[in-house]
Amino acid sequence: MIPADGKKIMILCGEPSGDRYAGLLAGAILKIDPDAYLTGVGGDHLEKAGVRLIKNIRSLSVSGFTDVLRRLPAIMKIRNKITRAIIADPPDMIVMIDFPDFHFSVAKKIKRHFSGKKTPVLVYYIPPQIWIWRKRRIRLIKRFFDAVIPVFPFELELYRKQSVPVFYSGHPIIDCLRYQCQEKTERDEDSSLRIAILPGSRAHEISGLLPVMLDGVRRYAETYQPSGSNIVVRIPVINHIGEDFYRLVIARQNKKIEKASFLVEFHTDVYHSIAVSDIVLSKPGTNNLEIAYSGKPFVVIYRTNFINWLIIRMFVKTRFASLVNILSRKEIIRELLQKNARPEMIAEEINRIITVSDYRNQMQEQLKIFTESAGLNAKINIAAENAKFLLSLTDVAV
């Protein structure tokens, strides 16, 4: 039931990371304004925060151009369902999180329908990385959105120069990291080498990257592992995918891994897995910020099909894949991409991190500098600050 005086806010996200931030934001909004009525598209985090879901993102999250094309009819169907819901019962505000191409299409249809009428306030939270590629999308943001909430400090001036209303308080990952740091993290006191593996949050990413990452560990164990030492591999499981899928990928695509001389453990807490590990193998993405914050040495590994890679190279105007390297404008973390994402090169980098103390220490020092420059050490509650800003916009909306 909608409270008589409650503000109606819709929150839209299409990725697991966006759902996590959306859940924090929704919880902060409801804490400030318990009468607010929140609907949206997201996952478990958004729903647990008290948001009535129109659609769960399990059928929405995609990655890569070929994946988008393959699932385009389903994506268009979801988009139409969302726009119909907005038209039938217009909210006071719509907050769109990441997932740019989908959200631009929704925003365009909304603006077109409400032309000349009272339009819901549209806010883009975690806007597309126009500073990496497709810079012209800032024109779409300026055209369709009433305000933008970026997550890196340098983005503030970027939007100001384009006269786009902007509010910045910090990266929402700070709230997640602060909570994790409040929890006591312990690891068993043994001499085992612990390696965390983060192959992504989508099934096809896991299918493509998990086997080569594990094969890299296997190659390290066979080539470099000291006699009598142990290796423990920790794999954080994505809830909606489930542990059985990971086991199936290992068994189906690389049976020799099952006989490797290391122990594979499945866990539910990605932060704890990072915290208790010595090294992390990860795909590029937001989780690179989490690893950097932890100060753990890590290796970025990625490969995709030829068409996706060709299109990426055509549009992306940076030589790096990891946000850590992109924002630092230099290679702090080794990136093994496409043809270099090979077991022997992964094994070589693991061994280098373990055995070359100067290399490892320099990496960790550079990660510390990075977290400070990227604003990841802020002490404020990011979700609360963003919630206050959004609610202030609904107060002045006409």
Side-chain angles (χ1 to χ4, degrees), residues 110-147:
I110 292 170
K111 288 293 186 179
R112 181 182 297 169
H113 174 83
F114 287 97
S115 178
K117 308 174 186 177
K118 180 183 177 181
T119 307
V121 176
L122 264 63
V123 180
Y124 211 130
Y125 182 30
I126 313 180
Q129 296 167 343
I130 56 175
W131 35 276
I132 297 179
W133 71 319
R134 298 173 68 184
K135 295 181 179 180
R136 293 183 179 180
R137 288 184 293 180
I138 196 169
R139 299 177 185 175
L140 297 178
I141 294 174
K142 188 173 182 178
R143 178 182 174 188
F144 296 138
F145 293 87
D146 300 290

Side-chain angles (χ1 to χ4, degrees), residues 16 32 58 85-86 89 102 125 129 153 176 179 182 199 232 246 255 270 287 303 320 323 330 375-376 394-395 397:
I32 297 171
R58 292 174 187 172
I86 293 169
D89 186 17
F102 181 86
Y125 182 30
Q129 296 167 343
C176 303
Y179 172 79
Q182 291 172 352
V232 178
Y246 290 79
K255 291 183 179 296
V270 63
N287 57 17
R303 65 183 183 187
F320 299 121
L323 280 172
K330 62 181 179 180
L376 298 183
T394 62
D395 288 335

Side-chain angles (χ1 to χ4, degrees), residues 14-16 57-76 78 99 101-102 201-207 240-241 283 302 304-309 311-312:
E15 303 284 353
I57 61 172
R58 292 174 187 172
S59 57
L60 185 58
S61 180
V62 293
S63 175
F65 298 94
T66 55
D67 196 25
V68 170
L69 290 174
R70 180 173 57 85
R71 300 183 60 186
L72 188 58
I75 294 172
M76 297 294 287
I78 295 171
F99 214 54
D101 291 318
F102 181 86
S201 59
R202 305 177 185 92
H204 77 275
E205 291 175 336
I206 296 166
S207 295
H240 68 268
I241 292 179
K283 73 172 285 289
Y302 184 75
T304 184
N305 65 59
F306 176 76
I307 295 175
N308 278 338
W309 185 251
I311 296 174
I312 289 171

Side-chain angles (χ1 to χ4, degrees), residues 12-212:
L12 306 178
C13 62
E15 303 284 353
S17 60
D19 174 53
R20 180 171 51 179
Y21 305 144
L24 290 170
L25 180 64
I29 290 173
L30 291 172
K31 187 174 182 178
I32 297 171
D33 184 3
D35 290 332
Y37 180 71
L38 274 55
T39 60
V41 173
D44 295 342
H45 291 283
L46 199 59
E47 189 170 27
K48 288 177 181 178
V51 178
R52 183 179 66 84
L53 291 188
I54 299 171
K55 186 72 178 179
N56 194 293
I57 61 172
R58 292 174 187 172
S59 57
L60 185 58
S61 180
V62 293
S63 175
F65 298 94
T66 55
D67 196 25
V68 170
L69 290 174
R70 180 173 57 85
R71 300 183 60 186
L72 188 58
I75 294 172
M76 297 294 287
K77 186 176 180 180
I78 295 171
R79 185 200 68 176
N80 293 337
K81 181 177 182 178
I82 293 170
T83 52
R84 285 196 302 269
I86 293 169
I87 291 170
D89 186 17
D92 300 301
M93 170 180 287
I94 303 172
V95 181
M96 300 185 183
I97 301 177
D98 205 355
F99 214 54
D101 291 318
F102 181 86
H103 286 147
F104 281 140
S105 66
V106 173
K108 181 178 180 180
K109 290 176 75 70
I110 292 170
K111 288 293 186 179
R112 181 182 297 169
H113 174 83
F114 287 97
S115 178
K117 308 174 186 177
K118 180 183 177 181
T119 307
V121 176
L122 264 63
V123 180
Y124 211 130
Y125 182 30
I126 313 180
Q129 296 167 343
I130 56 175
W131 35 276
I132 297 179
W133 71 319
R134 298 173 68 184
K135 295 181 179 180
R136 293 183 179 180
R137 288 184 293 180
I138 196 169
R139 299 177 185 175
L140 297 178
I141 294 174
K142 188 173 182 178
R143 178 182 174 188
F144 296 138
F145 293 87
D146 300 290
V148 62
I149 305 177
V151 295
F152 293 111
F154 65 86
E155 292 179 295
L156 186 61
E157 188 60 27
L158 187 154
Y159 285 103
R160 281 177 174 168
K161 285 183 178 179
Q162 296 296 325
S163 300
V164 177
V166 58
F167 175 80
Y168 169 79
S169 63
H171 200 295
I173 201 172
I174 294 171
D175 292 336
C176 303
L177 295 170
R178 183 183 300 111
Y179 172 79
Q180 174 61 24
C181 289
Q182 291 172 352
E183 299 293 317
K184 187 176 181 181
T185 301
E186 298 179 347
R187 61 170 284 172
D188 297 333
E189 294 299 327
D190 59 34
S191 59
S192 297
L193 172 65
R194 297 179 182 271
I195 302 176
I197 290 184
L198 282 60
S201 59
R202 305 177 185 92
H204 77 275
E205 291 175 336
I206 296 166
S207 295
L209 293 176
L210 178 58
V212 71

